[in-house]
Amino acid sequence: MNHDELRQQLTTLHLELPRQGLVTWTSGNISARAGDGMLIKPSGVTFDDLTPESMVRTDLHGRRLDGALSPSSDAATHGYIYRHLPHVGGIVHTHSPYATAWAANAREIPCVLTAMADEFGGPIPCGAFALIGGEEIGAEVVRVLGHHRSPAIILQNHGVFTIGPSPRAALKAAVMCEDVARTVFLAAQLGNMQPLAQEHIDRLFDRYTTVYGQR
Amino acid sequence: MNHDELRQQLTTLHLELPRQGLVTWTSGNISARAGDGMLIKPSGVTFDDLTPESMVRTDLHGRRLDGALSPSSDAATHGYIYRHLPHVGGIVHTHSPYATAWAANAREIPCVLTAMADEFGGPIPCGAFALIGGEEIGAEVVRVLGHHRSPAIILQNHGVFTIGPSPRAALKAAVMCEDVARTVFLAAQLGNMQPLAQEHIDRLFDRYTTVYGQR
Amino acid sequence: MNHDELRQQLTTLHLELPRQGLVTWTSGNISARAGDGMLIKPSGVTFDDLTPESMVRTDLHGRRLDGALSPSSDAATHGYIYRHLPHVGGIVHTHSPYATAWAANAREIPCVLTAMADEFGGPIPCGAFALIGGEEIGAEVVRVLGHHRSPAIILQNHGVFTIGPSPRAALKAAVMCEDVARTVFLAAQLGNMQPLAQEHIDRLFDRYTTVYGQR
Amino acid sequence: MNHDELRQQLTTLHLELPRQGLVTWTSGNISARAGDGMLIKPSGVTFDDLTPESMVRTDLHGRRLDGALSPSSDAATHGYIYRHLPHVGGIVHTHSPYATAWAANAREIPCVLTAMADEFGGPIPCGAFALIGGEEIGAEVVRVLGHHRSPAIILQNHGVFTIGPSPRAALKAAVMCEDVARTVFLAAQLGNMQPLAQEHIDRLFDRYTTVYGQR
């Protein structure tokens, strides 16, 4: 896919964020690895106003390479992840409400659903608090997801980052992360959640990653 | 209804799943008994991309009979149910959030609403945990629903299966299952749910199945 | 308004019920007093399928006067209310989820919001359990609302009835009932709801019914 | 922007209130400072029926200057705020459900999210109960927001007021207020919310107000 096609795809994928209820106003963003740099949402622009041309090309330190718009203030974090995890082709960041509620409790989302075992291979981990602005957030994402089955992490008091081989795969992980965060939240309110056995989690994850879908 | 009409109807009914908030991304599926086999959603395809032609025809063990797409990974479960419950003409499977939250607590949904007595004739039962892949899930659905008024079952840590004489009837049961799962969840949070007397449940169920609707 | 206009208006108002999230599938209905009888939704018809012609004309005992469709199974209840409360010109019935959750706890919705004082003049009362089929539900609605400021009642284990001088006024009450039922539910979860003083409720209700809106 | 443009903009912004789930039926309103007076929503008109011409021009005591429609019954409150806070160019008032649930508990919304530190610079304060009709509500808003970073206040047992240099900025604050009110509500239900350190709040707020967005 060339850069023009990638800009078009990134614009279309961004529209899924409000459609799926993952973002409010201008928060949240998606990026795609593009050559030795990346493409990412411009900062502070509403989703209705995004165009393929408005996507900002930066290097992997989040510095703008061309164009007039400033990149997302999360660009340095995205770049850090691309630099340290070479298999990652797309990244999504949101403050989706249920996942962020778990994050505000500094609590991983426990794996009590077969759909979670399928998609995340276990609990969705919660990373430590880190301030925006430098490399702390990216470092925390890489530290946790670098050795984890889950393509999603929640960060304490902050929100969600998901990774994938493509922006679309990362978007799917962000959508499913909020979906299971909600169902497990509801389950927790009922007061008697049943854990899944590790053996069952392993078998479900293995099956999902080798049998599910079209091949 | 011939197979072409059934494919068209099945496609239309699938669109109700996201519209009613019962599914996320590619999860969830509907099937229809068709001759001595069935038609079912293809695996891992998003709802926006479904067409009548994409519906997969399988035998009642979930093995594809023709076409290029793989059937839903739940096809063996659907087939098992059709083989053992001859009055069933349609099946719906979802991970709808409120019903699945009850399932993650391994807890039946108690019958505290007249609408539940009408539609389900009592509580919505919760089946035991079963792994996907073989016949365990289908066997659990048949074991419980085979002698139950309810056309809906929740399965521990998993989600919902509903049955009906037609795919549309099974869809109605799936929609109403999530609706009452939500209202009863909210009622449970308020802390003082009032049970319905069995005699009232019986009278409501009897009336609904003999008087309600157009005849 | 002649009967044709009333049928058209009733059809339009019914579409607000799913749009506002008050109903699921075929449940819920609106009626309008029409001459010495009434017009009401047909039984078991989905909201997408309603037409002005499908509205059923009945007497005030809920018996069909003409046409081919059966009236809502709640028609006898609506008729009872019209017979006993001559100022009522429209009635709405729903199982809207938050209001029904309060009803499943047999608990009135406490008046902790200025918007509730405005619209309902105090708490929304909860009537006793009554079986559908005879005059019990209508009698309970009349017994409670006959001497109450509130145009809305919730019925134990069942749902909501609202009344008004017109079907549109009753619909507004049903929409606002669910709105405040939700906000007060959320407030209750936070654990420290502050009551409104009766004197403040009285002043708010008085002002709203004499100053608010266009005159 | 001349008055005609402002009327058009105000109409468009009002449509965001139901779209974002902040209002029900006719409640909620937006105003814009206009010359030495203001423009505001007419009282008791549904959002679907608003037109640029229907916006009511009043003085800063909320008294209509021309036109046939009565202004919002909150006009005196808006006027009081404009008179006492000269930097305010737009005001939004809603009863959005999650924020109002906190208000019904007379409880400020604690700052446990980086997005709250960004947007509100700390907790969203809760003002004392005040009756509509005179200047009490306006005085309470000015008393609290006059010396606060937050552009949003919740008022006990009532709802939300937000201010901004423009109506659009005030709308953004109202949307974000409900968004964080919901996420923090959910976080509170999980039972172990982690506070943000004051030092982190300060650094986030400073960065957001100087670096975020396009310049």
Side-chain angles (χ1 to χ4, degrees), chain D residues 5-212:
Chain D
E5 290 165 339
L6 204 52
R7 285 173 179 277
Q8 179 60 59
Q9 188 202 30
L10 211 48
T11 307
T12 304
L13 293 177
H14 269 98
L15 295 180
E16 283 296 305
L17 295 178
R19 189 183 164 205
Q20 301 272 355
L22 304 189
V23 295
T24 303
W25 210 258
T26 66
S27 79
N29 43 69
I30 309 180
S31 70
R33 192 190 286 272
D36 54 6
M38 64 181 188
L39 288 165
I40 191 166
K41 179 177 179 290
S43 182
V45 176
T46 59
F47 292 90
D48 285 350
D49 293 328
L50 291 179
T51 60
E53 297 71 36
S54 68
M55 295 298 151
V56 183
R57 194 160 73 90
T58 73
D59 65 19
L60 292 187
H61 290 84
R63 291 175 297 219
R64 178 172 58 193
L65 292 177
D66 49 41
L69 293 172
S70 301
S72 161
S73 56
D74 298 303
T77 300
H78 288 244
Y80 187 96
I81 299 169
Y82 288 122
R83 290 206 317 276
H84 290 81
L85 298 178
H87 61 287
V88 172
I91 299 170
V92 173
H93 173 51
T94 79
H95 301 157
S96 64
Y98 285 92
T100 302
W102 288 97
N105 281 257
R107 189 171 161 194
E108 69 173 22
I109 308 176
C111 185
V112 297
L113 304 173
T114 56
M116 272 190 89
D118 287 349
E119 199 74 37
F120 300 98
I124 294 177
C126 183
F129 179 76
L131 273 184
I132 196 172
E135 304 207 317
E136 294 88 338
I137 295 178
E140 185 63 10
V141 172
V142 169
R143 185 184 71 78
V144 176
L145 293 191
H147 66 281
H148 211 288
R149 284 172 177 171
S150 171
I153 181 176
I154 56 176
L155 290 174
Q156 185 181 330
N157 297 115
H158 183 177
V160 179
F161 278 88
T162 61
I163 58 176
S166 67
R168 185 178 157 84
L171 175 61
K172 182 189 178 187
V175 170
M176 295 307 293
C177 175
E178 180 64 3
D179 186 58
V180 301
R182 178 177 56 171
T183 300
V184 181
F185 170 89
L186 297 172
Q189 299 309 106
L190 289 170
N192 193 30
M193 281 198 292
Q194 300 299 309
L196 277 176
Q198 187 61 46
E199 175 208 347
H200 292 154
I201 293 174
D202 293 346
R203 288 177 60 185
L204 286 162
F205 182 67
D206 180 60
R207 178 184 163 83
Y208 190 71
T209 47
T210 57
V211 177
Y212 186 83

Side-chain angles (χ1 to χ4, degrees), chain B residues 68-133:
Chain B
L69 293 171
S70 300
S72 161
S73 58
D74 299 302
T77 299
H78 288 244
Y80 188 96
I81 299 170
Y82 287 122
R83 291 207 316 277
H84 291 81
L85 298 179
H87 61 287
V88 171
I91 300 170
V92 173
H93 173 50
T94 79
H95 301 157
S96 63
Y98 285 92
T100 302
W102 288 97
N105 281 257
R107 189 171 161 194
E108 69 172 24
I109 308 175
C111 185
V112 297
L113 305 173
T114 56
M116 273 190 87
D118 287 348
E119 200 75 36
F120 300 98
I124 294 176
C126 182
F129 180 77
L131 274 183
I132 196 172

Side-chain angles (χ1 to χ4, degrees), chain C residues 107-109 120 122-127 144-145 148 150-155:
Chain C
R107 190 171 160 194
E108 69 173 23
I109 308 175
F120 300 99
I124 294 175
C126 182
V144 176
L145 293 191
H148 211 289
S150 171
I153 181 175
I154 56 176
L155 290 174

Side-chain angles (χ1 to χ4, degrees), chain B residues 56-75:
Chain B
V56 183
R57 195 160 73 89
T58 73
D59 67 17
L60 293 187
H61 291 82
R63 293 174 297 219
R64 180 172 55 191
L65 292 177
D66 50 40
L69 293 171
S70 300
S72 161
S73 58
D74 299 302

Side-chain angles (χ1 to χ4, degrees), chain C residues 13 16 19-20 98 111-115 118 168-169 171-172 175-176 179 182-196 199-201 203-204 207-208 211-215, chain D residues 21 23-27 41-46 48-49 64 68-71 73-74 95-98 100-107 129-133 156-159 185 188-189:
Chain C
L13 292 177
E16 284 296 304
R19 189 184 165 205
Q20 302 272 354
Y98 285 93
C111 185
V112 298
L113 304 173
T114 55
D118 287 349
R168 184 177 157 83
L171 175 61
K172 182 188 179 188
V175 170
M176 294 308 293
D179 186 57
R182 178 177 56 171
T183 301
V184 181
F185 171 89
L186 297 172
Q189 299 309 108
L190 289 171
N192 193 28
M193 281 198 291
Q194 299 300 309
L196 276 177
E199 175 208 349
H200 291 154
I201 293 175
R203 288 176 61 184
L204 286 162
R207 178 184 162 83
Y208 190 70
V211 177
Y212 185 82
Q214 305 299 328
R215 283 156 209 283
Chain D
V23 295
T24 303
W25 210 258
T26 66
S27 79
K41 179 177 179 290
S43 182
V45 176
T46 59
D48 285 350
D49 293 328
R64 178 172 58 193
L69 293 172
S70 301
S73 56
D74 298 303
H95 301 157
S96 64
Y98 285 92
T100 302
W102 288 97
N105 281 257
R107 189 171 161 194
F129 179 76
L131 273 184
I132 196 172
Q156 185 181 330
N157 297 115
H158 183 177
F185 170 89
Q189 299 309 106

Side-chain angles (χ1 to χ4, degrees), chain C residues 93-146:
Chain C
H93 173 51
T94 79
H95 301 157
S96 63
Y98 285 93
T100 302
W102 288 96
N105 282 259
R107 190 171 160 194
E108 69 173 23
I109 308 175
C111 185
V112 298
L113 304 173
T114 55
M116 271 189 89
D118 287 349
E119 199 74 38
F120 300 99
I124 294 175
C126 182
F129 180 76
L131 273 183
I132 196 172
E135 304 207 316
E136 295 87 340
I137 294 178
E140 185 62 9
V141 172
V142 168
R143 185 184 71 76
V144 176
L145 293 191

